[in-house]
Amino acid sequence: GQQLNQSPQSMFIQEGEDVSMNCTSSSIFNTWLWYKQDPGEGPVLLIALYKAGELTSNGRLTAQFGITRKDSFLNISASIPSDVGIYFCAGPTVSGGSNYKLTFGKGTLLTVNP
Amino acid sequence: DTEVTQTPKHLVMGMTNKKSLKCEQHMGHRAMYWYKQKAKKPPELMFVYSYEKLSINESVPSRFSPECPNSSLLNLHLHALQPEDSALYLCASSHTKGDEQYFGPGTRLTVT
């Protein structure tokens, strides 16, 4: 099936620094989703991207849908301690005809040192 | 409102117990999902319901039995679980299949 390669696996940064992470695939995606998960909680949808080349912001977060439709980037500016968590990229893929399921990247674990 | 609720928050059960996890959404979504998640791994899909009908079963063992009583509710019935079934169980919903999914806070399940 389709796979998403997410990098980096983990990041250790100082408060105030900018962060960038990305997801790539060998297959085309029509939608890219970025989620953040805090320990013991469910993933929270941060940004959804629907068009190739689209650049969307949500506060200090900015995500882009790659022109080739095979990649996406998430940037966090001026990081703060509450940005700590695991960030997942995801995209819907067709499964068995008309069914869809989300394919997830393996996640980027972000640690912010105050 | 993009809220999906799940109960209970935590559950400890023995291998011979029968328990149920519950999920509810009032966003008018017609697709609902169960996922299993182990620590520091992405969620793994278990079941998909679309318009209250089971549309995907990812070869989940029969000791997990899903139920969708109506368009707002999703249950996961558990029976004779194994310790390796201990995990965070997540419910999600979306407007229809293929749309962005909204997750609940999860149920932390421990099987002893």
Side-chain angles (χ1 to χ4, degrees):
Chain A
Q2 290 175 291
Q3 289 189 332
L4 292 179
N5 301 307
Q6 186 171 350
S7 65
Q9 274 191 316
S10 61
M11 301 182 76
F12 298 84
I13 62 169
Q14 293 295 125
E15 183 177 358
E17 288 183 358
D18 296 344
V19 170
S20 185
M21 60 191 79
N22 71 86
C23 264
T24 61
S25 171
S26 57
S27 305
I28 287 172
F29 278 78
N30 292 318
T31 300
W32 284 93
L33 306 172
W34 285 94
Y35 290 90
K36 181 195 178 206
Q37 186 170 25
D38 292 332
E41 297 292 329
V44 174
L45 182 64
L46 299 173
I47 293 179
L49 301 159
Y50 303 103
K51 284 173 57 174
E54 180 181 356
L55 186 71
T56 297
S57 294
N58 177 5
R60 293 177 296 105
L61 277 61
T62 302
Q64 183 158 26
F65 193 141
I67 282 290
T68 65
R69 292 163 65 191
K70 293 183 179 181
D71 59 1
S72 178
F73 301 85
L74 176 69
N75 296 317
I76 305 173
S77 62
S79 58
I80 59 178
S82 61
D83 291 333
V84 164
I86 301 180
Y87 292 78
F88 290 104
C89 62
T93 54
V94 177
S95 171
S98 63
N99 287 314
Y100 287 87
K101 54 190 228 182
L102 273 188
T103 296
F104 284 87
K106 292 189 175 178
T108 295
L109 175 61
L110 179 63
T111 303
V112 179
N113 294 317
Chain B
D1 181 14
T2 55
E3 189 178 30
V4 177
T5 59
Q6 288 186 245
T7 56
K9 180 77 172 164
H10 300 277
L11 178 62
V12 179
M13 60 186 290
M15 290 189 284
T16 58
N17 291 158
K18 282 186 184 181
K19 296 286 184 184
S20 296
L21 309 184
K22 296 186 183 303
C23 174
E24 190 166 3
Q25 57 86 15
H26 294 289
M27 296 178 277
H29 289 174
R30 300 315 297 267
M32 296 185 76
Y33 311 79
W34 280 116
Y35 288 85
K36 173 183 177 181
Q37 188 180 30
K38 293 284 198 178
K40 296 186 178 176
K41 299 287 186 186
E44 297 174 32
L45 183 66
M46 300 173 74
F47 302 104
V48 179
Y49 273 83
S50 178
Y51 290 86
E52 294 135 63
K53 287 187 168 50
L54 183 66
S55 63
I56 295 181
N57 176 341
E58 291 285 275
S59 302
V60 178
S62 60
R63 57 186 185 269
F64 295 91
S65 174
E67 178 197 19
C68 189
N70 60 55
S71 61
S72 300
L73 293 174
L74 188 65
N75 299 322
L76 187 62
H77 304 297
L78 314 171
H79 174 53
L81 295 194
Q82 305 296 310
E84 60 264 29
D85 296 322
S86 299
L88 182 68
Y89 287 84
L90 294 163
C91 173
S93 72
S94 64
H95 183 63
T96 58
K97 294 182 294 184
D99 292 329
E100 66 267 19
Q101 294 179 22
Y102 295 89
F103 286 82
T107 293
R108 171 67 61 191
L109 175 67
T110 303
V111 182
T112 60

